[in-house]
Amino acid sequence: MDCFVAALLAMTALLVSSPARADLKICNRMSYVVEAAIGIEDKTATATRGWFRIDPATCRVVAQGNITADRILLHARSLPVYGASPAPQNGTDNLCVASKDFVIAGRQCRGGQTAAAFTEIKPSTGEDGHQIAYLAEGAEYDDEQARLAAIQRLLVIAGYDAAPIDGVDGPKTQNALAAFLKARGLNTDAVQAPNFFETMIAAVEKPSATGLTWCNDTQYRVMASIATDDGKTVTSRGWYRIEPGKCLHPDVTGQPRRIYSFAEAVDADGRTIKINSRPVNWGGTTMLCTRETQFEFTEQGDCGGRGLNASGYERVEIGAGAGKTLRFGMP
């Protein structure tokens, strides 16, 4: 019996069908498009399954049938387009996931699998009789607010002035949205289309006529960081995940005097790719603070003494109203 079949049977064993079937649904009330994974744990078996893409203000069935397991766990991640956004879900149970769709039995991670933090959830019973768990953020949006905040967030990343991201409609948001639709040749009905977030994300992943765009021309995943200098403070922020063959337009707020960039190629376990013992990265001579996990630093002195890394950033020259595309290729 191969591993996939064994894993699938382990997952199925923890679900039982009945005439009054109560499916498990995850509902997204965040301003991010997320991918979710669930863990089912019983005294005799543990299994994980993912990824389930869930747009803002929508729900998705992640398990069919009444769940009889002792514990249900959840892990969620935002799409790479959001860069250094906070992880939607974390926890203390480490279970296995894979980069693509997966079903995994057990807690022992194998090749191509990594451990991720899962949080136990206690679903409630909805009006339709199904079990529901919600993904939410500090703003505590309702569905309508979450959808609008998610549109605002992608507009800002795409270079349109829709800030602040607050889920509140107004002339600024409407003007930014109208400009986006016009630039893409879309009519106003497109906003209500089921695939509108896919349309927005595809637009963000293309090189932009303004601001900075990173494009990954390698076969590896690239993790990138941006730094801005407003004349008083240099802020470094990372990491933005750029998949092979994809581009990303990082969000740059305000009008910084200078912009800097650093990026490196990593393997499936997040380790830096090396060729002939030399790391594959793209940067320059301006040393700024970073760390292996997500970060945002405004203090750049004594990186090593503070337990941080120091990486060499490249200064990016971008004129007012102009755009700059950095393409990451193999050396």
Side-chain angles (χ1 to χ4, degrees):
M1 182 183 298
D2 63 35
C3 293
F4 177 81
V5 173
L8 187 60
L9 290 175
M11 177 69 74
T12 305
L14 300 178
L15 306 174
V16 294
S17 298
S18 70
R21 188 181 74 182
D23 297 338
L24 172 62
K25 298 195 296 186
I26 304 297
C27 296
N28 182 8
R29 284 184 173 170
M30 301 186 67
S31 57
Y32 302 88
V33 179
V34 302
E35 293 175 322
I38 62 167
I40 306 294
E41 186 178 76
D42 195 69
K43 296 180 179 65
T44 59
T46 300
T48 54
R49 182 179 180 183
W51 296 96
F52 302 93
R53 173 175 162 149
I54 313 174
D55 287 347
T58 64
C59 300
R60 182 164 179 183
V61 173
V62 297
Q64 294 181 330
N66 300 321
I67 299 179
T68 62
D70 296 329
R71 302 173 72 215
I72 305 172
L73 302 108
L74 175 68
H75 172 84
R77 63 184 188 185
S78 55
L79 297 188
V81 70
Y82 296 109
S85 61
Q89 191 80 9
N90 52 44
T92 57
D93 283 87
N94 290 318
L95 301 178
C96 301
V97 300
S99 58
K100 304 296 182 181
D101 291 349
F102 64 89
V103 179
I104 300 171
R107 287 178 170 267
Q108 187 66 40
C109 301
R110 300 175 177 82
Q113 301 172 3
T114 57
F118 280 69
T119 299
E120 184 176 3
I121 59 173
K122 302 290 186 180
S124 59
T125 302
E127 294 181 358
D128 56 4
H130 295 301
Q131 296 296 296
I132 302 175
Y134 288 92
L135 283 169
E137 55 187 290
E140 297 185 351
Y141 299 123
D142 60 24
D143 284 343
E144 183 178 352
Q145 293 168 334
R147 191 174 193 279
L148 182 56
I151 291 173
Q152 290 171 328
R153 188 174 298 282
L154 287 170
L155 285 170
V156 169
I157 294 174
Y160 296 87
D161 186 7
I165 299 165
D166 55 8
V168 178
D169 202 0
K172 196 174 181 182
T173 296
Q174 288 302 316
N175 290 339
L177 181 57
F180 172 84
L181 295 172
K182 182 178 179 180
R184 268 66 187 182
L186 302 171
N187 58 40
T188 56
D189 293 340
V191 179
Q192 302 304 323
N195 65 343
F196 184 59
F197 284 109
E198 292 182 18
T199 300
M200 295 196 76
I201 290 169
V204 172
E205 290 179 333
K206 293 180 180 178
S208 173
T210 60
L212 174 64
T213 301
W214 289 308
C215 288
N216 179 4
D217 295 334
T218 77
Q219 70 267 41
Y220 303 108
R221 174 178 295 170
V222 167
M223 304 300 288
S225 170
I226 192 171
T228 57
D229 181 357
D230 64 5
K232 297 180 181 179
T233 303
V234 178
T235 302
S236 56
R237 185 170 69 251
W239 296 97
Y240 295 81
R241 188 171 76 246
I242 314 169
E243 300 295 341
K246 298 292 186 179
C247 294
L248 180 65
H249 187 63
D251 51 314
V252 179
T253 58
Q255 295 181 327
R257 293 185 179 184
R258 285 176 287 273
I259 297 175
Y260 300 88
S261 171
F262 173 79
E264 61 182 3
V266 300
D267 62 18
D269 295 320
R271 297 184 295 250
T272 302
I273 298 293
K274 294 183 179 181
I275 297 179
N276 297 327
S277 300
R278 298 187 62 179
V280 178
N281 59 34
W282 303 267
T285 58
T286 301
M287 304 304 295
L288 302 175
C289 296
T290 64
R291 67 180 177 194
E292 294 182 359
T293 56
Q294 291 178 351
F295 67 89
E296 181 170 335
F297 299 130
T298 56
E299 172 57 53
Q300 303 299 334
D302 191 20
C303 300
R306 294 156 55 204
L308 306 174
N309 301 322
S311 300
Y313 283 66
E314 169 191 6
R315 181 173 172 176
V316 183
E317 300 292 346
I318 304 177
K324 177 73 172 183
T325 298
L326 297 181
R327 306 200 75 94
F328 304 133
M330 296 303 294

